[in-house]
């Protein structure tokens, strides 16, 4: 490693500091507290990428910042645009790792789906993102920058955020919670927590911990099976937590936050898409303040399963509805650009072409 790289690595990642932490740093540098406000605004509202652009700060202060801090989280290195308006971005992190983010345009606003880790260690059998295992977790600034870069590039405000890209958000708990607080901070982009969704494969302790954070975000649970035996075949994490433990944690979450939970159910042909399974699922969720989102599987080469037939998915949905469970089928966006997490990253590693999903 060269000396410059070494120095670079010893610098503090300034965009990962929340407002209070930034204030402390500014005071330590002998500056007045209001400078923290200006600095925070430059980074988290004006979305600048260099200290030089912070024109209302003195040259000396900027030079001091340059010496001690880095301002580089993630930058876009590739963009694919779909005919339905969905944009997929490959982001490069400062250490050269890659993650993916997707922008989906809806009539109610712009949604961005972000990654929370480089790779994933959960091992879901149908998912592409977990193929090479976990490399590392993302910092708050790397999550923020996925949104900042996209907002800057398209010149439109992002109003909804989905933590459903590469990685397991609750396996990167502290950074993810810090990210949520920062993106919803009034000094920053001030995105409403109600417009933020976290998707998890069901890490029970972290769900309970999240319930106590006093956040108003939406929680989505990747259930995918109505019983433990089948869930174990699809998701190794089912060996650690039973569905009943997950549902208990969900009830606790609902009780604490008063928020409706979403259950994601990816439909795999002949595996979990039968009517008896729809019946079993109804039994599990009956009376709960929840919503089921059926996801047509995005088949991944070398991974588990094929997509269920549309008619099967419709039948499954009808049965849930008859049992008074709220249910929708996920609208697919960006099929023509494979707006699915894992693929672009895998392609860029020179690996096999994989597909996964990253859709609202
Ligand atoms: N780790 C988080 C986020 C993962 S991606 C979680 O497990 O929830 C978001 C959703 O897409 C999850 O429900 C995940 O199980 C699902 N998914 C992953 N790969 C898929 C594929 N190939 N087809 C359909 N859904 C998939």
């Amino acid at each position: 490693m060269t000396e410059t790289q070494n120095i670079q690595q010893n610098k503090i990642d300034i965009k990962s500091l929340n407002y209070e932490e930034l204030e402390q740093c500014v005071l330590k540098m002998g500056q007045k507290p209001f400078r923290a406000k200006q600095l925070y605004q430059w980074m988290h509202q004006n979305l600048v990428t260099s200290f030089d652009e912070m024109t209302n700060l003195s040259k000396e202060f900027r030079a001091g910042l340059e010496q001690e801090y880095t301002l580089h989280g993630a930058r876009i290195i590739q963009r694919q645009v779909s005919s339905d308006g969905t944009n997929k971005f490959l982001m490069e992190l400062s250490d050269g790792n890659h993650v993916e983010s997707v922008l989906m345009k809806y009539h109610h606003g712009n949604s961005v789906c972000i990654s929370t880790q480089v790779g994933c260690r959960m091992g879901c059998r149908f998912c592409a993102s977990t193929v090479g295992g976990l490399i590392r977790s993302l910092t708050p600034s790397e999550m923020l920058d996925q949104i900042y870069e996209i907002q800057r590039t398209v010149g439109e405000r992002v109003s909804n955020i989905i933590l459903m890209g590469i990685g397991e958000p609750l396996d990167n708990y502290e950074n993810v919670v810090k990210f949520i607080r920062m993106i919803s901070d009034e000094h920053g982009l001030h995105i409403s927590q109600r417009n933020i969704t976290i998707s998890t494969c069901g890490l029970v302790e972290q769900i309970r911990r999240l319930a106590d954070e006093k956040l108003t975000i939406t929680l989505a649970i990747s259930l995918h099976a109505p019983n433990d035996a089948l869930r174990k075949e699809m998701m190794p994490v089912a060996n650690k937590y039973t569905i009943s433990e997950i549902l208990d944690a969900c009830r606790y979450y609902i009780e604490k936050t008063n928020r409706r939970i979403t259950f994601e159910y990816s439909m795999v042909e002949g595996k979990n898409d039968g009517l008896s399974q729809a019946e079993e699922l109804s039994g599990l969720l009956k009376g709960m303040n929840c919503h089921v989102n059926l996801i047509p599987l995005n088949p991944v080469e070398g991974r588990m399963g094929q997509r269920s037939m549309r008619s099967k998915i419709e039948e499954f949905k009808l049965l849930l509805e008859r049992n008074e469970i709220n249910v929708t089928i996920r609208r697919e966006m960006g099929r023509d650009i494979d707006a699915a997490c894992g693929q672009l990253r895998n392609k860029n590693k020179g690996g096999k072409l994989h597909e996964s999903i990253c859709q609202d």
Side-chain angles (χ1 to χ4, degrees):
M1 189 182 290
T2 67
E3 199 167 317
T4 0
Q5 277 173 322
N6 218 342
I7 292 168
Q8 181 82 10
Q9 294 213 328
N10 289 333
K11 289 186 181 180
I12 297 169
D13 167 18
I14 196 165
K15 235 189 271 179
S16 285
L17 303 178
N18 63 28
Y19 195 78
E20 293 72 35
E21 290 167 337
L22 190 68
E23 222 167 31
Q24 291 307 311
C25 288
V26 163
L27 291 178
K28 250 195 245 153
M29 290 177 83
Q31 297 284 334
K32 297 253 163 47
F34 78 93
R35 294 290 177 203
K37 189 170 184 186
Q38 292 178 319
L39 194 49
Y40 203 88
Q41 262 176 356
W42 281 116
M43 293 189 286
H44 301 284
Q45 284 183 339
N46 302 338
L47 314 183
V48 302
T49 53
S50 71
F51 293 115
D52 279 345
E53 291 165 78
M54 305 179 177
T55 45
N56 58 0
L57 305 182
S58 72
K59 269 214 163 103
E60 297 70 48
F61 184 28
R62 279 187 266 156
L65 289 167
E66 191 79 58
Q67 281 227 309
E68 286 188 43
Y69 300 98
T70 58
L71 194 52
H72 177 191
R75 64 191 176 90
I76 295 170
I77 56 164
Q78 207 177 311
R79 176 180 183 183
Q80 294 180 337
V81 183
S82 156
S83 54
D84 65 18
T86 300
N87 282 238
K88 178 154 189 168
F89 300 91
L90 185 68
M91 304 270 178
E92 187 165 86
L93 310 175
S94 49
D95 65 356
N97 274 306
H98 293 156
V99 291
E100 294 170 29
S101 325
V102 182
L103 165 71
M104 289 154 290
K105 297 186 171 200
Y106 296 104
H107 56 273
H108 63 263
N110 291 323
S111 276
V112 171
C113 175
I114 65 161
S115 298
T116 54
Q117 296 183 309
V118 182
C120 182
R121 58 179 177 148
M122 297 300 133
C124 297
R125 307 250 188 267
F126 45 84
C127 180
S129 304
T130 199
V131 168
L134 175 69
I135 302 203
R136 68 172 176 85
S137 284
L138 298 193
T139 61
S141 70
E142 289 168 333
M143 291 181 256
L144 290 168
D145 262 346
Q146 292 176 59
I147 293 151
Y148 296 176
E149 285 282 297
I150 289 176
Q151 181 155 316
R152 249 207 336 264
T153 303
V154 299
E156 288 174 33
R157 190 176 152 77
V158 171
S159 52
N160 292 266
I161 298 168
I162 317 159
L163 281 71
M164 242 185 230
I166 298 170
E168 166 50 48
L170 298 188
D171 189 36
N172 182 17
Y173 187 90
E174 273 85 12
N175 286 344
V176 161
V177 169
K178 191 173 190 188
F179 157 78
I180 290 168
R181 293 197 198 286
M182 288 176 76
I183 198 81
S184 54
D185 190 328
E186 58 178 351
H187 297 102
L189 282 192
H190 202 186
I191 295 179
S192 164
Q193 288 183 5
R194 293 182 174 273
N195 296 346
I196 302 176
T197 301
I198 282 195
S199 175
T200 175
C201 62
L203 305 184
V204 166
E205 290 89 1
Q206 284 93 319
I207 294 173
R208 288 181 175 273
R209 201 172 152 198
L210 194 66
D212 292 329
E213 296 280 354
K214 297 198 163 37
L215 299 171
T216 53
I217 56 174
T218 298
L219 182 63
I221 306 282
S222 300
L223 195 60
H224 304 323
N227 60 63
D228 290 322
L230 184 58
R231 197 161 190 266
K232 281 180 194 170
E233 287 177 30
M234 301 171 72
M235 306 169 74
V237 71
N239 292 304
K240 191 154 183 210
Y241 305 106
T242 63
I243 292 179
S244 148
E245 287 170 317
I246 294 174
L247 294 184
D248 276 350
C250 288
R251 282 186 203 99
Y252 181 72
Y253 189 88
I254 295 169
E255 187 189 308
K256 283 286 185 169
T257 63
N258 222 358
R259 301 283 296 161
R260 184 171 84 160
I261 289 195
T262 298
F263 289 100
E264 295 160 278
Y265 196 99
S266 294
M267 309 257 333
V268 188
E269 185 183 38
K271 189 99 194 147
N272 64 354
D273 62 352
L275 289 182
S276 62
Q277 284 145 335
E279 202 64 74
E280 213 177 343
L281 183 64
S282 309
L284 281 181
L285 304 181
K286 200 146 200 121
M288 207 167 170
N289 183 16
C290 70
H291 168 257
V292 174
N293 199 203
L294 300 176
I295 312 172
L297 185 85
N298 220 333
V300 176
E301 199 192 321
R303 305 293 288 160
M304 171 188 264
Q306 289 307 314
R307 163 183 302 224
S308 303
M309 304 244 296
R310 189 72 196 182
S311 56
K312 272 256 162 169
I313 303 179
E314 298 283 356
E315 276 173 27
F316 198 96
K317 175 171 181 266
L318 213 63
L319 201 145
L320 290 181
E321 276 168 348
R322 269 200 225 116
N323 289 327
E324 293 173 0
I325 308 279
N326 293 310
V327 53
T328 45
I329 299 174
R330 180 172 289 179
R331 187 151 64 99
E332 293 187 81
M333 298 187 74
R335 288 275 307 158
D336 56 335
I337 54 161
D338 305 307
C341 286
Q343 177 171 328
L344 209 52
R345 175 171 167 253
N346 288 346
K347 240 192 228 172
N348 260 268
K349 283 192 302 199
K352 268 213 287 206
L353 201 91
H354 289 302
E355 261 194 34
S356 174
I357 195 152
C358 181
Q359 295 159 345
D360 190 14

